[in-house]
Every structure is written in C-alpha cells, then in structure tokens.
Amino acid sequence: MSSSQEIASVCTYCGVGCDITGVVKDNTIEKIYAQADGYVSRGKLCIKGKSGFDFVASPHRLRDVRIKKSFIEKNLDSLPQELRARTKRLVSIDDIWYKGGYEFSTSLVAWKLSQIKEKYGRHSFSAMGGARTSCESAYSLQKFARVTMESPNIDNCARVCHSPSLTGMKATIGEGAATNPYDDIFKSEFLLVIGSNTTEAHPIVANRMIEAVRNKSCEIAVFDVRQIQLHKYATYEAIIPFEANLLILNMIAYVIITEELYNKEFIENRTLDFESYKKSILEDPFANPEYFQQLKGYEELTETIQTVARLYASKKSMIFWGLGITEHLDGSYAVMAITHLALMTGNIGKEGAGLMPLRGQNNVQGACDVGCLPYFSPDYGTPDEIGLMTPDAVDAMIEGKVKSLYVMGEDFTHIHPNQNKVHQAIENLELIVVQDLFMVDIAQKADIVFGVKSAYEKTGVYVNAMRRLHLSQPLVECEMPDDWEVLRDIENKIKGDFGYNSSEDVWEDIRKDAPKRFSGASYLKLIKNRSRGMQWPVGRTDTPTLHLESFRTEDGFGRFKYHQYKLREQVKKLLNHEVHETFYLTTGRTIVHYNNSAQTMHSETLLSKHEEDVLQVSIADKERFTTSKVILKNQYGETAPLTVKFVKTLKTGTMFCTFHHAKSNINYIFGDECDELIKTARFKSVEVEVIHA
C-alpha cells in the first residue's frame, strides 16, 4: 500500500489566502490542515479550508467538454467541412449535450469566435472571470481578449465587490491594495471595522482581531447595519442605518478636524489639498455627529462616533472594510473617506497602522494585478483601448453589439445584479464559452463548456488580500487542462502566438508585463519562500508595508478628494419620520459557503449546514408576517420563496439574506443602481416589498 504524502499549497476560497497542507494518499485528498507556524493561517483554518476539499473528487465534477446540441444544429451548415464531418462522431450525453473531444472542441471555439469577429467586428467579443483561478490563467484571459480577439472587453468579479476600493485608494494614495500584513493587527492599538462581517467572510483575519482584543493589545470598534459576531469583542459597537457609511466616515473626519486631532506634520510633509478638504468638511451640513439626534433609534451614534474618532486619531490605528462599504452607490467615495482618515492622522506608511480592504475571492487581487480589468492593463497600466465594464457589456449584448462571451470561473447568471436583464442579454449571444469545475448556472446556459483543473490540481501564483504571492502546487494529479492551457490551445488555432508549455512560461511573461510588482518574483524565489510567501512589489526583496516614505502617486503625495454625503433612502425616511410598509434588505455570506457555492455545495459537510438561503427578519417585525415563507419583490424582479427566521440582530424594518444558492433568485431584485464611478452594484441595500407565499 502507498503511504500518505503531505503537500503544501494555498486555500481555494477567500482572499485571506491561507497556507494549507494536504494529506494525500492514492491521489486522493484525505485531510487538509494548517501548519502551526503558517504565516497566514497561524495554524488555524475556517470550516471551508479545513473541510471543503471533497469537491475535488465529486462525482459531479465536469471532467470533459460539453457541446450543446442546439449549437451544433444552428451552425452545422456553416461549419468547415473537416469540423462538420467530425460532428458525426460526437457522443450524446442527454437531450441537451454532446460530449466533445478536446481537440475538436478547441477547434470549434476558434472557428466560431473568428467567424463572429469577422461578421460583427472585434468589439463583439467580451470576456469575464479570472479571480477563482491563478494569475497565469487570469493573465492569459486578458491577453486572449486584448491580443487574440483584439477586443478591450475584459472584466472580472472585482466589478461586483472591491472595484470601489481600487478606485478610491488609487485616487488618494496611488495604490488600491492593502497597506500592511495581517499580523500588524498585533502591532496596532486600535482597529476600526466597518462594513465587514469578518468572522464569517474572513475568519482567519478575525481570529487575529479577537486574539488582540483578548490580549488587551488593542481596542476595536465595529460599525455595521446589523449585530454581527464581531460586535461581541468590540469595545465600541454601533448599528448604523442603511447607506450611512459616507455620512459616518465624514463625521469621524469632522470630529478629528474640529478638535484638531490631526497630524499636522504628516499632512504638511506627505499630503496635498488638506485645507480645501478641511473647509468642505466644516461646511458640510451632514458632517456634525449631532445629526444623529434627529434619527430615531440611532441617537447613540452621536457619542459613539465622537469617541471612535478620538481614539482612532490618538492611537496607532488600522481600518478594515469589506463589501458593506463598496457595494453601495457611494462605495468609491466612502473608500476615499477612509483613506482621508488615515492621511490626516498619519495612520499609514508604518507598522501597525494602515488600510485593509478585505478582498473576496482567493485571487481577485492577483486577477486585477495582471490586467483583468477593462481600464487597466497588467501592473495597472493604461491599455491601448478602454473596454466595457460588465454592466455596460450587458447593455451591449442587449443592443446586439456584443455577440460572443467567454467566461472563466465566473457564474455570470447568478452573482451579478439585475438577473432578469442578464438573462435577456445572453439570449442575444451567438456563442457562450465557459471554463469551470461544475455545471454552474452560466455553464448550463453556455454553448461549449470546458472542464478544468481546480486550484488543488495545478501549479500557479495566487495573490491574497495583503498582496502576498503564494505559488501553489498540486495536491492531486489530474488529466484535465488548466485554464491557461485551454486558452492557449484555442489561441493557437486563431493566431498561434501563445507559446506556453508550462505555467512558469506564462508567469515569465507576467513578470515582464507587470515589472513594478513582480519583476523579482521568479518561480525559484517563490518556491524558496512558499511557507512565508512574498508581498508585492517584489524586487530583490518583498514589501510587507507600503507607503513608508512616499505614496504611489506620480508625485508621491497623498491627496484629499472630498465628497459630501447625499441624503437618501432609510436615513431620509428616518429624518422625515416616515412610516412605510417596505423593508430594507442587505445580503452577505455565511461562513460555510463561498459566493455562488460552486465548490462548497459539492461538499457534504458544508452543504448540510446551509442547504438554502434563509431570510433573517427583526423579531420586532414578527407580527407583520403571517407565513413561514415569503417572496421579496420590487421593480426589478422577485425572489423565490424564502424561509423566514426571526432574529434579535436586526433593527426593525431591515432584513438580511445570504445569496449562495442560485435557486433563491436573490440577485433578481437588484437593478442597475451602482457605484457612481465604477458600476459596482448596490448589493448591500435594496428596498423590497414582502409577499406572503
């Protein structure tokens, strides 16, 4: 009998990017654990990292290529003779699908993409995805779009999560990434957490926060629209109205300015435009925390905001945020307001003080770094042509301008907003190609679907939320292709420029195209540093802390860019003492699932703990409900019937629901309302009507 092997790699789930060790026997993962000295994990994994590996061997894994029978029928007469002859050898799976040979399928995709491009022009192609796979594959996708298809239309899941963090931070400090490593939590004196359910979404970071509070090395303040587990450990806790982030952040700045708690030396030496910002804050009718005395049920925020502002300014402090900040109409502006707090107090550019946007998917940072965005080429350069952001691409599909869609590890018809519109849009496409591990919702609607390797079956670089590069290695062997290999093989039948024989070959191109971040990060160096990883920018050494001497703007100075809060929604209704029958809904994750649950729903351990999305409602509103299931409805659409659970963690008139299961249709009730600058959807606040099912 063969003996077990222990192989080091990186977790496939959230942006924390935990180091893991897989115990493997007979090419099967038996166990995953974290080494006690793990640089990220510190010996602990969440339930997903520890138990959510059985998807790799799931009988539902997509292990071949599927071609929709209707696609063959539509295109049969126009197929080249060689391809038409080979369709006779296709194997039927069921009434919908053929099993396609890999070589035939790549040829078929290459032919159809070329045909569509010739007929409709190069802008008729759009690609999305890349954050659930390696940097090598994300880079290949953007290169395939820009170089092979000559289309600028490339985007990834950052569009629905942290694009406002990138935009807001880049505008003020020149770099849209975390400034410090996670362990700086232990060097900090005060933590401000806003819009992040950290224990559920990024539990291994939350472990550090809880440990630091218990050790009394720091205090923590937590702001959220509902009571979350992290509030239990907070010295200062606050439940805030929906869409009040920018309002509160500007109030914190107001207190710091009026009480002259700002760092004059830092402002003078490292920043520009403070005086105009200061004047704007002082003249802002919404900036005084006394404003909350007018909002029934939230009066205590006046004192809490003042206390938090004083502590943040007087101590070595860090700010953590998540999608509760970015998935709003003013997400980018709220991020700018966060950076203003760091700039005016000097809480940036040193250990134990900085900014930490807690990224979502395990490689969303890396996907953005290597150019999977329509307005940035690798290394956040300016591309030759700006492409369509995903919401604009949807409009272009409806208008008949985009005719082919290439999706890599992104469940477009589940996690994006305004799903009635999305489903209408894809009806106009002549080709949808998907690469994924399972037949997720968009795969079922695709024309050609390639089964590919998971992160536990391949070699590749992943970049976590603190800019840490980790070179993964396969835990088990697999005959399926990697994502970049599928792209290479299709490209070779269109142009023939992708001469990659290994993931390292692709990485070498990345190092050339993104030298500011990765020039020194050879595979050899990453192998030597696999345990600790390396934080970009990587030259001769890596860079754990950013902005030590200057900001990453063109002139090295940080900038203040003021934006006033706009009165709307729940705050406006509270101010006017309005009584209304509707509710405000926010959405988020539960610890056992990940986003569209593409992997976690194929783990029995995880699925058994959360088999459906449950609607949480304030117990104060119990009398308003007459059935155990309800449908949520608004002008955009409606959900499937949802099971109701009454909780004490929500204020009256508000609701919370997870979005992990496509069958719940949660994203049918979110429309085109989005961040003003970067079109990230308003997932964290929507007004809904309740229909008793």
Side-chain angles (χ1 to χ4, degrees), residues 444-491:
Q444 294 174 35
K445 296 172 174 61
D447 297 297
I448 302 170
V449 188
F450 290 88
V452 290
K453 291 179 178 176
S454 73
Y456 291 156
E457 296 163 322
K458 63 188 180 186
T459 299
V461 176
Y462 293 81
V463 185
N464 75 355
M466 66 177 193
R467 298 174 285 107
R468 173 183 182 263
L469 282 70
H470 186 117
L471 179 60
S472 74
Q473 56 184 336
L475 302 184
V476 292
E477 295 178 2
C478 169
E479 293 183 356
M480 287 181 288
D482 199 343
D483 285 298
W484 66 264
E485 291 179 297
V486 179
L487 290 162
R488 175 201 63 191
D489 294 341
I490 295 171
E491 190 280 340

Side-chain angles (χ1 to χ4, degrees), residues 201-250:
H202 303 93
I204 303 305
V205 172
N207 286 350
R208 287 170 167 82
M209 295 177 177
I210 294 167
E211 184 179 336
V213 169
R214 285 175 171 168
N215 292 341
K216 299 184 178 179
S217 62
C218 77
E219 294 181 298
I220 184 171
V222 179
F223 287 77
D224 208 289
V225 295
R226 63 188 179 116
Q227 192 95 29
I228 57 175
Q229 188 177 354
L230 198 60
H231 276 116
K232 297 177 183 177
Y233 305 95
T235 315
Y236 310 94
E237 57 179 284
I239 308 299
I240 66 176
F242 279 49
E243 296 199 43
N245 293 324
L246 183 58
L247 175 67
I248 286 165
L249 291 163
N250 282 344

Side-chain angles (χ1 to χ4, degrees), residues 179-181 183-189 316-318 346-354 544-548:
T179 60
N180 300 62
D183 279 356
D184 271 24
I185 289 170
F186 300 115
K187 300 174 183 178
S188 184
E189 298 169 331
K316 191 160 58 170
S317 304
M318 299 180 73
N347 272 310
I348 190 169
K350 57 187 178 184
E351 291 186 348
T545 306
L546 291 179
H547 315 300
L548 292 173

Side-chain angles (χ1 to χ4, degrees), residues 226 583-586 614-625 627-630 632 642-657 688 690 692:
R226 63 188 179 116
F583 288 81
Y584 281 96
L585 172 76
T586 191
V614 175
L615 179 66
Q616 295 184 13
V617 178
S618 171
I619 199 165
D621 294 318
K622 189 172 184 178
E623 292 183 0
R624 297 174 64 180
F625 289 77
T627 58
S628 60
K629 283 185 178 288
V630 299
L632 303 182
L642 301 167
T643 300
V644 176
K645 180 182 180 181
F646 296 103
V647 297
K648 297 179 181 179
T649 53
L650 286 159
K651 282 187 175 280
T652 182
T654 65
M655 298 171 162
F656 170 82
C657 192
V688 293
V690 172
H692 291 85

